Amino acid sequence: MIGKVAVPKQISVLHRCYLTLVSSTLFDLTNLNRRSSRTTSDVWDYFTHLETEDGPVAVCGFCGQVYQCDRSFQGTGTLWSHLQYRCPSCPFTDHEKRRKLSSQDVHLFSQEDCRRALAKMIIMDEYPFSVVEGEGFIAYSKTLQPQFEPPSRYTVARDCLNLYLEEKAKLKDILRHQRVCLTTDTWTSIQNQNYTSLTAHWINSRWELERKVLNFCFVPDHAGDTLCRMVEECLLEWDIGQVFTLTVDNTTSNNTAIGYLKTATEHWPSTICSNQFLHVRCSCHIMNLVVKKGWEGSNPSVAKIRTTLLFVKSSPGRLGLFKKSFKRLGEECKYFTPYFSRVGGPPTADDWLEARKLISVFKLFYNVIVRFSGQLNVTSTAFFHDFLLMHNKIKQLIRGKKEKPSLASMAENMKLKFEKYWDNNDILNPLLFIVVILDPRYKHKFLEFCFSNIYDQDKAKNFTKKVEDGLRRLFEWYVEAESAASNSEAPHAPLVVDLEECAEDPRKLWASNFKEHLQVIESKAANTELSRYLSELCEKDTDEFNILTWWRRQQNKYPTLSKVAKDVLAVPVSTIASEASFSTSRRVINPQRSSLSPKMVEALICGQSWLRSSPNKIDIRQKIADLHKYEELAQELGGLEFGEA
């Protein structure tokens, strides 16, 4: 660097001329004549390149400071640093003006941006507010950026609330004109406080499935009246007037909430078919009821195995023996056999064989629940196929009564609960089967074929008719809604009738006009989008097929039916999305953070839902692989034992 005292006279003159030009053009430097030797860096908008006896120099256009700038040895970092921190005459004094200096050559420090990123980290990664006051965090942040001043826990809490309000305003704008499907559930925290979560699901304009937690609010109890008022208040707060479905579990309080919501929203202009499709029962909850019903008859083999597990977990020594084998456990532990006096002795080879049979059955239902619980993919399309799978499995177990009487007895119990919810034409929501018709790989013919194979003729006919009628009413509602919208935008001119001509025969008054109107209606009915869609061949079922992509490509061909498909495909068949909030809340409201206010809890949980690009998924296989990797690292470091923090 060369100080100001070394500035030649010609540079001083140039400097004064430069400042005159800057002040007259309000810092618009693009019109200045630049030397042909100017480099491509934007820093030369503010420095002048000159050749001197000591080599090339760069002169600051604001204060006259001179720096060596031999390209063989110096870069532009020093020049940027001068403009940012050392130039006393730089006109870019506030944060927004200094941002104009930013380019690929430099990153400008901003305390505001750092605090915002810190608030995002606290929300997304579930850190306590006090982490910013920790000695290690302060040292780490100072190492990354010495200029950053870590805020206090109260300041970062305020930043998190402000970020929550900003993101809420953005999401509110998106949902104001969006039809949504809702899921809700309740939870009791370690503070013995009741919380309710409400989650919105929809398919955006890019045909991508989205879900966001709308609220996570404190409620005094789990009563139906309390829950329904909470849902209504939330919809009003978010200005959501288009609700398609509400997925809940099968508690009595939720039935009350559904009834209240149907009445409260029945006359909303956007309510579809008088809320006929509003109530969706959580399929995972029904599956749980089905399995529990089948488990009512106690299995002695399972009782023995459970008792064995209780025994081996009662002390570290027994657990060590258990890792060798059950046979060694019985030989080396004198307390082993007496421990099973209440269940008829330790498990035998036959007991383990019986357990394997049970595992093969329950594994099927477990996989079904996993598919119903998907959060990143459409679950409504999976329901019907898993419905058929469970239906046939239960029938198969019942038919094998002679070979496996215990499994057949269990299947009989499961059938009772299965038929109560999924074979009941009165409470079954047709949307769960309408989605099959809207799947271009199957359509209505597949539905008819499957129903005819699992039900008798009359029942199959009734089920098929209910589903097809439901789809037709749904499609007609969307057609009328679009027609009403177009009429309100461009009203038709009134019909002109010659009254004198019709005076002798009044029947001619509207006859001719009605005839033309009827021809239009009948021609449309014969060639509706729905009719054309159903008459075309089914698409091939391949592993690469994506139903959302298919409908996105068919929007122009089926403009109205694609809107029906977009809303139906967004329907979640379980409340897992809302229950996932409770997994987060258990970490947010832990024993060390139990003093958080309900509003702060809501800000942290909702904010995480809005800021994360996708929900975190727990991969058991990856966890096991990580454990092995940590053990290898421990051996490399001298046999130390450590695990994932």
Side-chain angles (χ1 to χ4, degrees):
M1 184 181 78
I2 303 176
K4 292 183 181 179
V5 294
V7 180
K9 182 178 180 180
Q10 66 269 28
I11 294 181
S12 179
V13 173
L14 176 64
H15 174 218
R16 289 196 298 271
C17 295
Y18 191 90
L19 289 181
T20 302
L21 287 173
V22 168
S23 61
S24 63
T25 58
L26 296 178
F27 312 116
D28 183 6
L29 308 178
T30 58
N31 295 324
L32 292 178
N33 293 325
R34 302 189 181 103
R35 295 173 60 91
S36 59
S37 61
R38 177 190 179 277
T39 63
T40 58
S41 175
D42 291 339
V43 77
W44 296 106
D45 288 337
Y46 313 103
F47 283 83
T48 300
H49 184 277
L50 292 176
E51 297 291 339
T52 68
E53 295 179 357
D54 297 329
V57 296
V59 184
C60 176
F62 302 116
C63 68
Q65 183 66 56
V66 181
Y67 291 88
Q68 292 179 341
C69 62
D70 191 333
R71 299 177 188 177
S72 302
F73 304 100
Q74 287 92 18
T76 59
T78 302
L79 307 184
W80 282 116
S81 180
H82 169 78
L83 291 175
Q84 293 179 68
Y85 308 119
R86 290 187 286 275
C87 181
S89 305
C90 180
F92 303 104
T93 54
D94 59 49
H95 171 69
E96 291 301 323
K97 289 183 178 179
R98 280 182 177 271
R99 188 183 295 276
K100 296 178 182 179
L101 297 175
S102 179
S103 69
Q104 294 181 352
D105 301 293
V106 68
H107 174 74
L108 297 177
F109 167 74
S110 168
Q111 178 78 9
E112 178 185 347
D113 290 347
C114 289
R115 279 179 48 183
R116 183 179 179 83
L118 177 60
K120 284 186 178 181
M121 182 193 75
I122 294 291
I123 294 175
M124 296 171 66
D125 295 336
E126 302 165 6
Y127 288 111
F129 299 138
S130 59
V131 70
V132 298
E133 297 178 349
E135 183 178 352
F137 176 82
I138 294 175
Y140 176 70
S141 61
K142 284 293 185 181
T143 303
L144 288 178
Q145 176 51 263
Q147 291 181 279
F148 177 61
E149 294 296 333
S152 68
R153 68 178 71 185
Y154 304 110
T155 300
V156 79
R158 189 181 302 109
D159 290 345
C160 289
L161 280 175
N162 290 334
L163 185 59
Y164 159 76
L165 294 175
E166 291 175 14
E167 295 298 322
K168 184 175 183 178
K170 295 177 185 177
L171 183 58
K172 192 173 183 178
D173 288 339
I174 295 174
L175 296 179
R176 184 171 286 113
H177 305 292
Q178 177 69 53
R179 187 175 303 281
V180 298
C181 302
L182 302 174
T183 58
T184 186
D185 210 340
T186 54
W187 172 71
T188 302
S189 71
I190 61 173
Q191 306 160 310
N192 288 325
Q193 291 182 331
N194 302 311
Y195 287 89
T196 296
S197 174
L198 188 68
T199 307
H201 308 252
W202 73 96
I203 294 174
N204 62 27
S205 59
R206 300 182 301 276
W207 285 84
E208 298 168 342
L209 185 65
E210 294 200 37
R211 69 172 185 88
K212 301 293 182 183
V213 179
L214 298 184
N215 74 341
F216 191 89
C217 62
F218 168 79
V219 290
D221 52 57
H222 294 178
D225 293 340
T226 303
L227 299 180
C228 62
R229 287 188 175 85
M230 180 279 301
V231 174
E232 184 182 22
E233 290 175 2
C234 183
L235 295 179
L236 294 175
E237 178 188 356
W238 281 86
D239 196 18
I240 295 176
Q242 303 182 69
V243 178
F244 190 36
T245 61
L246 176 59
T247 304
V248 294
D249 59 30
N250 296 289
T251 60
T252 305
S253 59
N254 282 328
N255 292 335
T256 304
I258 288 288
Y260 178 91
L261 193 61
K262 280 185 176 181
T263 304
T265 62
E266 183 177 4
H267 300 293
W268 288 9
S270 59
T271 297
I272 297 178
C273 300
S274 301
N275 281 324
Q276 174 189 353
F277 307 104
L278 180 66
H279 189 186
V280 178
R281 290 174 170 83
C282 176
S283 298
C284 289
H285 188 259
I286 294 176
M287 277 294 306
N288 186 43
L289 296 176
V290 170
V291 173
K292 287 178 65 177
K293 188 67 176 178
W295 199 253
E296 281 185 353
S298 59
N299 189 299
S301 298
V302 175
K304 292 179 181 180
I305 294 174
R306 283 181 170 176
T307 304
T308 303
L309 295 177
L310 291 174
F311 177 82
V312 299
K313 288 183 177 181
S314 61
S315 72
R318 292 175 180 177
L319 183 60
L321 291 174
F322 167 71
K323 291 181 178 179
K324 299 176 183 179
S325 69
F326 274 109
K327 184 177 180 180
R328 291 284 301 276
L329 186 63
E331 293 174 354
E332 299 186 14
C333 183
K334 62 180 180 180
Y335 301 106
F336 182 69
T337 302
Y339 195 83
F340 293 85
S341 59
R342 291 178 297 178
V343 294
T348 63
D350 291 337
D351 293 324
W352 289 109
L353 182 61
E354 181 70 15
R356 290 191 182 95
K357 295 177 182 178
L358 290 173
I359 289 175
S360 65
V361 174
F362 287 113
K363 184 178 181 180
L364 180 147
F365 293 102
Y366 168 79
N367 290 333
V368 170
I369 289 181
V370 170
R371 286 190 287 270
F372 285 168
S373 304
Q375 300 183 51
L376 304 178
N377 57 289
V378 175
T379 57
S380 54
T381 54
F383 172 82
F384 184 67
H385 305 281
D386 283 318
F387 164 83
L388 297 175
L389 178 64
M390 292 182 291
H391 190 281
N392 289 328
K393 185 63 176 181
I394 291 174
K395 288 178 63 175
Q396 181 189 57
L397 293 175
I398 293 175
R399 287 196 300 265
K401 187 174 183 178
K402 292 183 178 179
E403 297 81 11
K404 302 175 181 177
S406 60
L407 295 182
S409 177
M410 180 182 68
E412 290 283 1
N413 290 334
M414 297 172 73
K415 181 183 176 183
L416 297 175
K417 193 65 69 173
F418 187 92
E419 291 179 342
K420 177 181 178 180
Y421 292 104
W422 285 332
D423 274 0
N424 190 335
N425 203 4
D426 296 328
I427 68 172
L428 190 64
N429 193 320
L431 287 178
L432 297 176
F433 302 105
I434 287 176
V435 70
V436 180
I437 303 180
L438 293 175
D439 191 327
R441 295 169 293 181
Y442 307 111
K443 302 186 179 181
H444 62 299
K445 295 180 181 179
F446 180 76
L447 197 71
E448 295 173 355
F449 172 77
C450 295
F451 280 158
S452 64
N453 278 275
I454 64 175
Y455 298 130
D456 58 60
Q457 185 176 359
D458 292 338
K459 191 172 183 178
K461 185 177 180 180
N462 291 335
F463 263 82
T464 304
K465 185 177 185 302
K466 180 177 180 178
V467 176
E468 291 179 345
D469 288 347
L471 175 58
R472 190 170 293 106
R473 285 194 298 272
L474 192 62
F475 177 73
E476 290 173 354
W477 186 93
Y478 278 80
V479 172
E480 292 177 2
E482 288 193 351
S483 176
S486 61
N487 290 338
S488 62
E489 295 174 0
H492 296 290
L495 296 175
V496 179
V497 181
D498 189 346
L499 296 179
E500 294 182 0
E501 182 181 348
C502 302
E504 296 182 1
D505 190 357
R507 292 177 300 174
K508 296 181 179 180
L509 182 62
W510 295 104
S512 59
N513 290 319
F514 174 72
K515 185 176 181 180
E516 295 177 2
H517 176 68
L518 191 61
Q519 289 176 349
V520 173
I521 293 178
E522 290 176 348
S523 63
K524 287 183 178 180
N527 193 31
T528 63
E529 293 177 28
L530 182 58
S531 300
R532 287 190 287 111
Y533 168 77
L534 295 177
S535 63
E536 293 182 352
L537 297 176
C538 295
E539 295 288 328
K540 292 183 179 180
D541 188 4
T542 63
D543 295 336
E544 294 77 22
F545 181 84
N546 185 300
I547 190 169
L548 295 182
T549 302
W550 190 90
W551 275 108
R552 176 174 57 81
R553 293 171 178 171
Q554 304 299 319
Q555 288 182 94
N556 294 331
K557 186 177 182 180
Y558 306 114
T560 302
L561 191 60
S562 64
K563 295 180 180 178
V564 178
K566 179 180 286 188
D567 290 339
V568 172
L569 293 172
V571 175
V573 299
S574 75
T575 61
I576 293 299
S578 292
E579 293 178 11
S581 301
F582 303 144
S583 299
T584 301
S585 61
R586 289 186 179 92
R587 299 188 297 269
V588 171
I589 315 175
N590 57 38
Q592 288 73 37
R593 306 179 72 183
S594 58
S595 60
L596 290 177
S597 67
K599 190 62 182 177
M600 182 61 76
V601 170
E602 181 176 24
L604 294 174
I605 293 175
C606 293
Q608 184 186 94
S609 170
W610 305 339
L611 292 171
R612 276 184 176 173
S613 57
S614 61
N616 285 349
K617 297 179 66 176
I618 299 177
D619 190 337
I620 299 299
R621 292 185 178 87
Q622 184 60 47
K623 293 290 184 182
I624 295 175
D626 289 345
L627 179 61
H628 292 320
K629 184 62 177 179
Y630 295 141
E631 291 177 349
E632 293 176 2
L633 293 175
Q635 293 176 358
E636 293 176 5
L637 297 174
L640 298 176
E641 294 183 1
F642 63 93
E644 184 179 9

